[in-house]
Amino acid sequence: MHTSRRLLSVLPHRETLKLTLNTFEYSNQTAYVGKDALRALGEFLAGKNLKKPLIVTDKGVVNAGIVNQVIDELKAVGVEPVVFDGCKPNPSFDDVSRIAKSFITNNRDSCIGLGGGGPMDAAKAGAALVAEHRVHGSDVSEAAPRFITETCRKFSAHVTPEFQNAVPVITAIPTTAGTGSDGGKSAVITDSKGQKVVFGNPVLMPTIAALAPQLTIKLPKRLTIDTAVDALFHCIEPLFCPTELMVSRDRMSLQEIAFCDNHAKEGIALIREHLPLVVEDPEQIFSRMYLQVAALYGAKAFRKGDLGGVHATAHSVGVKYHLHHGAAIGRMAVPVLEFNETHPDLSTEAVQTAATVCKLLGGSDTMHQAVYSFLKKLDVTMGLRNLVEWNEDLDELARLAATDACQDNPVPLGEADYRKIFEKAAAMQA
């Protein structure tokens, strides 16, 4: 099998990537990228004698014929998977319990998250619950809510060597190019009240991410755009996390910060170049591959900080109006960026970063205008006009955004600030 291998202390030049197979080596993960990525994943599993994986996916991926493609590639190298296809787009505690039960009942030895962010997150959470069962003998049918909500903070900070060794090998196969779950250590699970719980630890990082662009060819145009917009802001927002804060609060080294920033900048450039090409020709498989790489880079970028106001407002809008996350990002990006960019307290570092992002997007004036122009060309709906009906909606959205976890914004945002942003979005002509 012909492969191009790159150590990602320095990003690979875009011209060097091959359509067949590229291997990106990180300290805690290997990413196979290209049409032969599925076969490479199968060979990895077979080489580790992990021949009984549980594939965690959803009905949509099954109906698209993607699961059968993956199974065929795995069986060709002697790997015999069992499929759990009952995952919801926003996986619940019950999904996690049923995944762990399926893993144990079917005597599986590893987990493969196959799909968008939901199935990949669910595979991570299911693997963690299997480890909880192995270490503490917990009944997986009942333990998910307690394990995820009561122990997630402790789990996020530290796990014992015994627990770490009990976590099954996790791998990921994304079928979109946006969420970045294939390149991250966290999982988002929805509780019984509809609230999202985020937990994570390095032990949940997929050992292998297999980015096979042929799996994304039939992705609808709107979903292709929305997921790529999500990836774009996984790259943009971390760039604005102040270096001093990342060093003092998050104990990041300057080398780690540079790692994240380099991935962010390259991800922005890749999306700017390749998303319009895919929109024009959905079967442009080379550009599909580069969008997957950009999404992976976004996941590496937001190891820095906790994202900012674009994600906080998008989460609020998504919950209130039941919008796809990427669509909500598209609606709120420009109002948030304009508020930030025109704020009198914007730091010199942030001003310089905004100029860098503007340049990466091909703009010549301000960052928010460059983003507006890019999204406009893609026919992305921006703002909340014809969506917000009452002032009470603006109050609720502002409250939700102010209590969101994503508050690493270049200027501090309180509830009153968020309301101003939502007012701007509600009046926006897009």
Side-chain angles (χ1 to χ4, degrees), residues 38-39 55 57-76 79 81-83 85 114 173 175 214-215 218:
L38 299 178
R39 182 63 59 90
I55 294 177
T57 191
D58 59 40
K59 292 292 195 301
V61 179
V62 173
N63 293 338
I66 292 173
V67 172
N68 286 338
Q69 291 182 56
V70 173
I71 289 174
D72 289 346
E73 290 285 357
L74 296 179
K75 285 188 173 183
V79 176
V82 165
V83 176
D85 63 4
L114 171 61
I173 306 172
T175 58
Q214 66 270 27
L215 301 185
K218 294 182 179 180

Side-chain angles (χ1 to χ4, degrees), residues 355-375:
T356 297
V357 173
C358 180
K359 184 177 180 180
L360 287 168
L361 288 172
S364 59
D365 193 358
T366 64
M367 174 184 60
H368 71 270
Q369 288 173 329
V371 169
Y372 177 89
S373 295
F374 181 69
L375 298 182

Side-chain angles (χ1 to χ4, degrees), residues 376-424:
K376 187 71 173 176
K377 290 175 183 176
L378 297 168
D379 197 28
V380 170
T381 300
M382 290 177 274
L384 300 179
R385 182 176 281 271
N386 300 325
L387 199 61
V388 173
E389 297 182 0
W390 311 101
N391 282 334
E392 289 79 2
D393 285 2
L394 298 177
D395 294 334
E396 181 184 356
L397 290 169
R399 283 194 298 271
L400 288 169
T403 56
D404 192 84
C406 297
Q407 300 296 336
D408 277 350
N409 202 61
V411 294
L413 296 177
E415 190 172 319
D417 299 311
Y418 278 117
R419 199 185 195 287
K420 291 177 183 177
I421 291 169
F422 283 118
E423 287 172 358
K424 181 78 172 179

Side-chain angles (χ1 to χ4, degrees), residues 196-213:
K196 293 185 176 183
V197 179
V198 182
F199 72 108
N201 187 277
V203 300
L204 298 186
M205 174 70 74
T207 302
I208 301 291
L211 280 56

